[in-house]
Amino acid sequence: MSSEIQLFGIFGYPVIHTMSPYMHNEVFEQMNLPYFYTAFEVLPQNLAKSIESIRVLGLKGVNITIPHKEAVLQYLDEIIPSARFIGAVNTIKNEDGKLIGYNTDGLGFITAIREDLSIDPAEKSFLLLGAGGAARAIAIQLALEKCRKIYIANRTLSKAENIAYIIKKNVPLCEANPVLFNPAEISRIIKDVDILVNTTSVGMKKDDSKLLDSEFLSSLYAVIDIIYNPPETLLLKEASRKGLKTANGLGMLTFQGALAFEIWTGIKPPVNIMRNAIIKQLKKTDT
Ligand code: NAP
């Protein structure tokens, strides 16, 4: 780009509900940086051309969201090892035309539990409900952070098995166990779990059925739901009622953005400004 302003963006489809432009532009403005971040709706058939446009137009950095996080790998010049294990990229840095892929989702989750709940994942045992894209990033990053054990519970067992296989292959010191997501299996393993993480989409809608019987929560240390809208799912309400440590997905969302910001600019951003920008926007969209 020839202008003084440097451009950042997010590619996704649909991309209308993304919070990323609000959190990044708020920090750019408050830090007086000549940067601007915007959302681009990119259809799957246009992904290759859109990635090439990062070079052509000189965008400094881009976030990648659903449904392109896996497909984008083939168009990049370099992929950092953790993103390669995860098999998905959510952040691209443009270094003079060389496109480097990162994944800040898993590390965003880890940073959020460290900063917001003072939880160090090392030596802890986790149960992830769900085995989709978010679970994959979180599970692999937890293994890289030396957690002791991860159970991955999913309706479709093959997806949980696939994540466990990647962990066993790349981080053999962490025990990864795929299980079917049903009450009998949860009952069998729950006493061996410190921290429960909901990575399914159950809880986003008001009429969603109960994900888990609350009796399973009693022996846990903490429950995290990566859903951030609504801010308190039924699962989190029940965990709070039992006096457990809880967090929603706002921390993960904020820190994955903060880590991307740092990759692009070399500056550690003021995370609370990013968090408050998301909260403000969520309130606007709720009214
Ligand atoms: P995804 O790849 O589509 O995976 C969805 C997962 O939810 C799958 O494991 C699926 O099981 C499971 N699931 C869906 N409905 C279910 C039900 N009724 N009962 C049991 N399991 C069910 O989605 P994703 O990208 O991982 O995202 C999952 C959630 O995380 C969404 O709510 C998303 O908003 C949230 N998220 C938050 C952040 C953040 O920064 N806070 C980041 C990413 C995602 P099957 O495999 O059996 O279908």
Side-chain angles (χ1 to χ4, degrees), residues 196-245:
L196 176 96
V197 187
N198 175 37
T199 75
T200 75
S201 40
V202 180
M204 289 180 85
K205 296 195 216 93
K206 274 203 176 80
D207 55 355
D208 272 348
S209 55
K210 206 171 183 173
L211 187 61
L212 205 65
D213 201 298
S214 59
E215 77 183 64
F216 291 130
L217 305 179
S218 305
S219 59
L220 296 169
Y221 176 68
V223 174
I224 298 142
D225 197 325
I226 68 164
I227 292 171
Y228 52 85
N229 194 19
E232 194 178 38
T233 57
L234 183 57
L235 176 71
L236 286 188
K237 274 195 187 102
E238 292 186 335
S240 291
R241 236 178 261 139
K242 287 185 180 286
L244 309 181
K245 281 197 178 207

Side-chain angles (χ1 to χ4, degrees), residues 81-234:
S82 59
R84 171 105 34 218
F85 294 159
I86 293 166
V89 158
N90 79 329
T91 300
I92 299 172
K93 182 180 188 189
N94 180 1
E95 271 187 14
D96 302 321
K98 180 176 166 190
L99 302 184
I100 307 170
Y102 298 77
N103 191 311
T104 66
D105 284 329
L107 205 51
F109 173 85
I110 304 286
T111 314
I113 65 169
R114 279 213 170 100
E115 297 283 321
D116 298 343
L117 297 178
S118 304
I119 289 175
D120 178 1
E123 295 305 315
K124 307 280 185 320
S125 165
F126 286 80
L127 165 58
L128 303 193
L129 304 178
R136 199 181 172 92
I138 292 171
I140 291 168
Q141 198 66 46
L142 281 171
L144 291 169
E145 303 287 328
K146 302 188 170 51
C147 79
R148 177 169 58 86
K149 203 181 269 193
I150 310 174
Y151 292 98
I152 306 141
N154 202 39
R155 290 185 305 195
T156 315
L157 184 62
S158 58
K159 287 202 215 163
E161 285 173 339
N162 182 267
I163 299 175
Y165 172 77
I166 296 167
I167 293 173
K168 279 177 192 156
K169 212 170 112 194
N170 295 292
V171 200
L173 281 179
C174 174
E175 189 183 323
N177 302 296
V179 293
L180 250 183
F181 185 7
N182 64 36
E185 282 294 273
I186 301 296
S187 164
R188 180 177 67 80
I189 62 172
I190 199 74
K191 285 272 159 29
D192 189 31
V193 174
D194 303 314
I195 296 153
L196 176 96
V197 187
N198 175 37
T199 75
T200 75
S201 40
V202 180
M204 289 180 85
K205 296 195 216 93
K206 274 203 176 80
D207 55 355
D208 272 348
S209 55
K210 206 171 183 173
L211 187 61
L212 205 65
D213 201 298
S214 59
E215 77 183 64
F216 291 130
L217 305 179
S218 305
S219 59
L220 296 169
Y221 176 68
V223 174
I224 298 142
D225 197 325
I226 68 164
I227 292 171
Y228 52 85
N229 194 19
E232 194 178 38
T233 57
L234 183 57

